[in-house]
RNA sequence: GCACCCGUAGCUCAGUUGGAUAGAGCGUUGGCCUCCGAAGCCAAAGGUCACAGGUUCAAGUCCCGUCGGGUGCACCA
């Protein structure tokens, strides 16, 4: 039999076709101007309404044709060519509703592997990009987890994905830390994690710099370190920090394709090329007098309303570049406008995939050349990111402008307080993960099952970190998150554990069903009913969820879908008939073999859907819990 | 001051880019394991979708205004 992916897509096409014939008839009758076909939206019907899917398109037609929507819906229902899996169409008032053919529909979904075709488009996701001078803390968590989930989702949706992590190795913060180590004569003991060790020196230095005299005395020496960094003389120092930071990311299950070193971008000549391009823009100029005399500036007033001063400096009067102009050059490079960077293998990641880094002594490689660029940066950077995006348009690349995406997210506070490394209101990410695992272990121990697990370390890791990731992903990007230990690591309710538990339960059923000799190949789908249909309809929503997630660049759609699917399965599993007896059992020898096997097929498909949903969020399904 | 984001149940949040009687979790109350995993399920209670106008056959969703919360407006990095 023919198995097609999305019934809704087919319905949409069928309705569109019916409308086209209906419209052409209307036109020939009246000889009037062609009427634009309305957009057809197929939606799920409310629970208490007849049908499984429906569309309100008759309203729009009614307006265009100046006819009654009720009669139009009825007419469409009659003329519509039903796609496979749909048994009939019916007008419910002005709505046009569809009833699925239960057996055919379920089989088509259950047997569909849901392979999403390759889009032949490349998207670069840049995330993490933490200053290489201290350990990652809880404030970075949202960035890393959001970026990683988005990368996985793009990959799932058929895009080629390149994950970049930007290393600001010439910045003030890196200089501070390296200087601090020298200044205090500190020697790394080789035991403490290197980034933590360096971070402590950084904090200590900032305590001392509060004294103006000390600051004045040390400032020239720090500047000298910056110059050393710019010349690339301290690269091995920075590499040590980056490697320590990456250990944290790996522990979270996050990997990258490429580290982009700022010093390499600076040394590439991209900046000059980018500025030459912007020279041609009417928005850019070299003021000959006034506040910005001698600078190269951009007038942002046309696209960034509300700034007190719309003039943005790209090149300072001493000729050096500002951060924004470096970002612009880098964005041009990401879209493949510039060539010339070289790359080296930097390290091997836990998955055994190489991590590359830009390097002046490297070799050419097929990085960059993206069709879409997603920069994961918090919402406080909206202005500079808008300038970066707009620069693509100014430079004459409207398509690249459209595909420059600032994945902006609101900040994370810690138990109601703003995170501040200097005030000590923060927690290192390594510690957060450790705490997450130990809470998961406590929970398992409290249930008395910790000792029964074959691999307790793995399970506590999967449960603890799953919860942590989920807490960063379940809200919309624009929402502020207050990180609270109890809520983030809670193991009840609206949480990754809920989904993991449903998956574990399904897995257990599948295992026992196989032990009982059941096999989904023997499924008789005609024996299934509305209970299975509800579950399968939920499974079928996955492609649309992915689509919405890519559209909004917000993984929270996937997180909520996971909860809904798990909830749907739990409801199915617990369903009871009027006599309070479970009527959805898979393994029940009093039932026909074909029914048991069909239910097994549905549960197997549901399990795969859950695994996949959690997978794109970077959350694993424990084999036992 | 100006701009952007947010305001939905007591709390934390969804709401398929304008459709049918606004949904979850936590908390509260009551029920469900001799039955494939109770980290679960079912039920009850809880709403002027901040407020006031407008557009539309149809507004939590779009537009205008007001109020409240957050963030941003450097030749810093």
């Amino acid at each position: 039999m023919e198995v097609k992916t999305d019934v809704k897509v087919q319905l949409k096409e069928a309705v569109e076709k019916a409308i086209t014939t209906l419209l052409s008839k209307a036109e020939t009758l009246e000889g009037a101007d062609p009427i634009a076909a309305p957009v057809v939206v197929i939606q799920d019907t409310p629970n208490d309404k007849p049908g499984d899917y429906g569309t309100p398109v008759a309203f729009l037609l009614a307006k265009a044709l100046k006819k009654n929507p009720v009669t139009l819906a009825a007419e469409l229902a009659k003329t519509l060519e039903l796609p496979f899996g749909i048994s009939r169409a019916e007008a419910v008032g002005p709505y046009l509703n569809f009833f699925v053919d239960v057996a055919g529909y379920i089989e088509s979904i259950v047997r569909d592997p849901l392979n999403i075709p390759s889009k032949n488009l490349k998207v670069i996701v840049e995330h993490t990009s933490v200053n290489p001078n201290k350990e990652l803390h809880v404030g970075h968590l949202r960035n890393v987890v959001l970026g990683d989930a988005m990368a996985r989702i793009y990959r799932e949706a058929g895009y080629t994905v390149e994950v970049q992590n930007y290393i600001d190795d010439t910045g003030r913060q890196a200089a501070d830390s390296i200087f601090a180590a020298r200044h205090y004569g500190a020697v790394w003991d080789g035991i403490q994690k290197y980034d933590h060790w360096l971070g402590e020196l950084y904090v200590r230095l900032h305590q001392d710099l509060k004294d103006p005299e000390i600051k004045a005395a040390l400032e020239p020496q720090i500047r000298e370190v910056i110059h050393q960094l710019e010349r690339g003389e301290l690269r091995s120092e920075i590499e040590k920090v980056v490697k320590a930071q990456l250990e944290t990311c790996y522990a979270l299950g996050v990997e990258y394709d490429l580290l982009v070193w700022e010093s390499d971008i600076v040394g590439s000549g991209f900046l000059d090329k980018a500025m030459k391009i912007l020279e041609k823009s009417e928005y850019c100029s070299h003021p000959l007098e006034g506040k910005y005399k001698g600078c190269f500036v951009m007038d942002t007033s046309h696209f960034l309303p509300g700034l007190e001063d719309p003039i943005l400096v790209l090149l300072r009067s001493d000729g050096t570049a500002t951060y924004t102009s470096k970002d612009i050059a880098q964005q041009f490079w990401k879209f493949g406008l510039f060539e010339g960077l070289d790359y080296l293998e930097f390290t091997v990641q836990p998955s055994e995939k190489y991590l590359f880094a830009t390097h002046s002594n490297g070799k050419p490689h097929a990085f960059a050349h993206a069709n879409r660029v997603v920069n994961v940066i918090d919402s406080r950077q909206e202005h500079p990111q808008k300038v970066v995006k707009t620069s693509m348009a100014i430079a004459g690349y409207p398509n690249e402008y459209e595909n420059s995406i600032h994945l902006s997210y609101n900040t994370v506070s810690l138990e109601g307080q703003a995170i501040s490394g200097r005030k000590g209101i923060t927690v290192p990410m390594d510690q957060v993960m450790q705490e997450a695992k130990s809470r998961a272990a406590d929970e398992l121990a409290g249930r008395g099952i910790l000792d029964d697990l074959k691999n307790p370390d793995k399970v506590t890791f999967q449960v603890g970190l799953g919860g942590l990731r989920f807490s960063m992903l379940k809200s919309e990007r624009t929402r502020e998150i207050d990180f609270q230990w109890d809520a983030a690591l809670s193991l009840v309710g609206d949480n990754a554990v809920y989904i993991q538990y449903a998956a574990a339960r399904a897995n257990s059923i599948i295992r026992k069903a196989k032990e009982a000799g059941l096999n989904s190949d023997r499924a008789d789908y005609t024996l299934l009913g509305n209970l299975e249909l509800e579950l399968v309809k939920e499974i079928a929503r996955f492609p649309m969820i992915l689509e919405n997630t890519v559209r909004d660049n917000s993984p929270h759609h996937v997180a909520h879908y996971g909860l809904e699917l798990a909830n749907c399965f739990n409801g199915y599993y617990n369903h009871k008939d009027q006599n309070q007896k479970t009527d959805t059992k898979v393994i029940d020898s009093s039932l026909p073999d074909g029914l048991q096997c069909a239910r097994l097929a549905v549960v197997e498909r549901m399990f795969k859907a859950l695994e996949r949903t959690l997978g794109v969020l970077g959350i694993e399904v424990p084999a036992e819990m």
Side-chain angles (χ1 to χ4, degrees):
Chain A
M1 64 177 277
E2 190 190 10
V3 175
K4 277 203 175 178
T5 310
D6 201 334
V7 176
K8 280 187 175 178
V9 172
Q10 295 177 69
L11 273 175
K12 184 174 191 281
E13 285 165 3
V15 174
E16 277 166 354
K17 203 175 155 193
I19 287 173
T20 311
T21 50
L22 193 142
L23 283 179
S24 65
K25 240 190 259 173
E27 280 158 23
T28 48
L29 277 179
E30 297 166 20
D33 295 333
I35 298 160
V39 178
V40 177
V41 178
I42 306 292
Q43 56 200 21
D44 301 344
T45 52
N47 285 333
D48 50 353
K49 290 285 181 282
D52 299 298
Y53 298 107
T55 176
V57 76
F59 282 112
L60 301 171
L61 272 179
K63 188 162 202 177
L65 297 171
K66 292 178 180 136
K67 283 188 182 173
N68 186 341
V70 177
T71 56
L72 283 168
E75 195 169 334
L76 281 174
K78 257 189 268 172
T79 57
L80 189 74
E81 229 174 278
L82 295 174
F84 182 81
I86 299 295
S87 64
R88 64 195 174 93
E90 184 183 299
V92 180
Y95 289 90
L96 177 59
N97 287 3
F98 309 99
F99 295 75
V100 304
D101 159 44
V102 176
Y105 176 84
I106 291 178
E107 182 171 4
S108 72
I109 299 298
V110 167
R111 292 179 51 180
D112 174 17
L114 263 190
N115 287 333
I116 291 160
S118 167
K119 292 236 183 353
N120 211 13
L121 290 170
K122 179 171 179 178
V123 50
I124 287 176
V125 178
E126 182 195 308
H127 67 82
T128 307
S129 304
V130 177
N131 273 312
N133 77 313
K134 59 187 182 307
E135 77 280 4
L136 275 70
H137 59 72
V138 61
H140 297 121
L141 194 58
R142 192 173 192 180
N143 185 299
V144 176
V145 171
L146 262 179
D148 184 58
M150 227 31 245
R152 290 167 189 262
I153 288 162
Y154 270 112
R155 221 171 269 134
E156 183 78 17
Y159 292 80
T160 304
V161 177
E162 178 176 310
V163 180
Q164 296 188 359
N165 181 359
Y166 185 69
I167 311 294
D168 181 4
D169 63 329
T170 66
R172 170 72 196 218
Q173 309 222 32
D176 282 349
S177 283
I178 287 177
F179 171 76
R182 286 185 194 167
H183 179 62
Y184 298 119
V187 179
W188 182 45
D189 61 8
I191 297 166
Q192 189 182 14
K193 208 158 161 287
Y194 188 79
D195 50 347
H196 288 248
W197 174 76
L198 204 59
E200 283 173 14
L201 293 165
Y202 174 76
V203 170
R204 181 173 163 194
L205 180 69
H206 270 269
Q207 289 298 321
D208 289 348
L209 288 179
K210 281 180 186 166
D211 183 331
E213 279 183 35
I214 295 178
K215 187 175 166 76
L218 298 185
E219 198 59 30
Q221 300 179 53
I222 295 174
R223 294 215 164 270
E224 178 48 33
V225 176
I226 292 179
H227 290 134
Q228 284 183 295
L229 284 168
E230 282 168 352
R231 293 193 295 267
E233 292 168 12
L234 301 173
R235 178 135 176 170
S236 64
E237 300 283 314
I238 302 292
E239 285 185 351
K240 271 197 278 185
V241 194
V242 170
K243 281 189 172 151
Q245 291 177 331
L246 285 172
E247 288 305 317
T248 304
C249 301
Y250 297 156
L252 247 186
V254 177
E255 296 191 354
Y256 307 84
D257 296 300
L258 180 65
L259 303 179
V260 180
W261 292 67
E262 167 149 313
S263 57
D264 291 324
I265 293 283
V266 169
S268 65
F270 291 170
L271 194 66
D272 288 344
K273 292 183 190 170
M275 293 307 113
K276 282 213 177 74
I277 290 173
L278 292 179
E279 289 270 359
K280 295 173 193 154
S281 163
E282 57 180 314
Y283 300 108
C284 298
S285 63
H286 298 269
L288 297 173
E289 52 193 30
K291 190 175 165 188
Y292 298 108
K293 185 180 174 185
C295 297
F296 180 48
V297 302
M298 183 190 287
D299 181 356
T300 65
S301 55
H302 293 83
F303 46 88
L304 267 186
L307 295 190
E308 193 174 306
D309 182 352
I311 300 300
L312 181 105
V313 174
L314 295 171
L315 296 176
R316 303 185 189 102
S317 50
D318 65 2
T320 57
T322 59
Y323 246 61
T324 310
S325 58
K326 288 179 200 169
D327 284 347
I328 292 169
Q330 200 191 339
Q331 190 82 349
F332 284 177
W333 164 72
K334 284 176 175 172
F335 277 114
L337 270 53
F338 305 148
E339 300 289 346
L341 279 184
D342 290 327
Y343 310 91
L344 273 184
E345 289 129 10
F346 181 74
T347 185
V348 181
Q349 303 180 100
S351 70
E352 300 186 347
K353 195 173 78 176
Y354 277 112
L355 171 59
F356 283 81
T358 58
H359 202 289
S360 52
N361 295 329
K363 289 182 289 188
H365 200 286
F367 286 113
H369 298 93
N371 303 95
R372 172 176 290 194
V373 172
V374 177
N375 293 324
V376 183
I377 310 174
D378 75 65
S379 63
R380 290 176 296 194
Q381 305 275 354
E382 246 157 40
H383 281 163
Q385 280 297 307
K386 191 94 183 272
V387 171
V388 168
K389 181 182 166 88
T390 307
S391 296
M392 300 309 304
I394 285 179
Y397 297 94
N399 202 33
E400 283 73 6
Y401 167 80
E402 287 298 332
N403 282 292
S404 292
I405 291 153
H406 173 203
L407 198 159
S408 167
Y409 59 92
N410 242 310
T411 45
V412 180
S413 56
L414 181 59
E415 300 282 1
Q417 291 182 287
I419 289 175
S420 163
R422 293 188 190 160
K423 286 182 191 162
I425 304 170
T426 183
V427 186
M429 217 195 279
D430 296 310
Q431 191 185 326
V432 174
M433 289 191 281
Q434 198 53 50
E435 178 75 17
K437 279 194 258 187
S438 88
R439 287 197 184 216
D442 289 350
E443 182 69 21
L444 288 163
R447 291 170 193 280
I449 51 176
L450 190 60
D451 298 333
D452 299 336
L453 297 174
K454 290 174 201 141
N455 198 341
D457 278 350
K458 189 171 184 185
V459 175
T460 53
F461 169 84
Q462 290 168 322
V463 170
L465 292 195
L468 204 55
R469 291 185 80 121
F470 201 83
S471 72
M472 291 290 126
L473 293 171
K474 69 178 173 188
S475 298
E476 218 177 338
R477 299 183 290 141
T478 49
R479 211 163 273 284
E480 295 154 35
I481 293 182
D482 185 35
F483 183 87
Q484 295 170 344
W485 285 100
D486 286 340
L489 305 179
S490 162
L491 298 179
V492 284
D494 217 344
N495 193 290
V497 181
Y498 179 83
I499 308 173
Q500 288 173 319
Y501 183 76
R505 169 188 271 161
N507 200 20
S508 167
I509 292 172
I510 293 164
R511 195 187 61 245
K512 288 186 177 163
K514 286 190 172 155
E515 284 166 11
L518 298 178
N519 188 324
S520 52
D521 291 343
R522 300 199 303 272
D524 181 353
Y525 293 97
T526 61
L527 299 175
L528 297 177
N530 283 324
L531 294 172
E532 286 82 15
L533 177 62
E534 289 308 308
L535 182 55
V536 170
K537 273 160 73 178
E538 191 64 28
I539 292 170
R541 289 178 62 212
F542 186 72
M544 190 200 72
I545 297 293
L546 270 189
E547 214 174 281
N548 292 349
T549 304
V550 165
R551 179 193 69 203
D552 298 340
N553 289 287
S554 185
H556 81 281
H557 287 123
V558 178
H560 280 272
Y561 171 68
L563 289 171
E564 280 162 25
L565 181 56
N567 180 253
C568 208
F569 173 65
N570 284 335
Y572 174 75
Y573 167 82
N574 277 293
H575 194 271
K576 293 179 176 59
D577 64 16
Q578 290 176 338
N579 303 320
Q580 295 302 307
K581 286 204 70 175
T582 306
D583 55 358
T584 54
K585 284 190 72 171
V586 174
I587 308 155
D588 184 343
S589 51
S590 69
L591 298 173
D593 179 72
L595 176 57
Q596 294 181 66
C597 290
R599 285 183 177 163
L600 172 62
V602 170
V603 173
E604 281 178 340
R605 183 63 184 75
M606 199 290 312
F607 176 76
K608 279 185 200 148
L610 275 187
E611 201 173 34
R612 204 155 171 176
T613 302
L614 285 176
V616 296
L617 299 177
I619 298 171
E620 293 178 30
V621 173
E624 46 171 5
M625 64 187 286

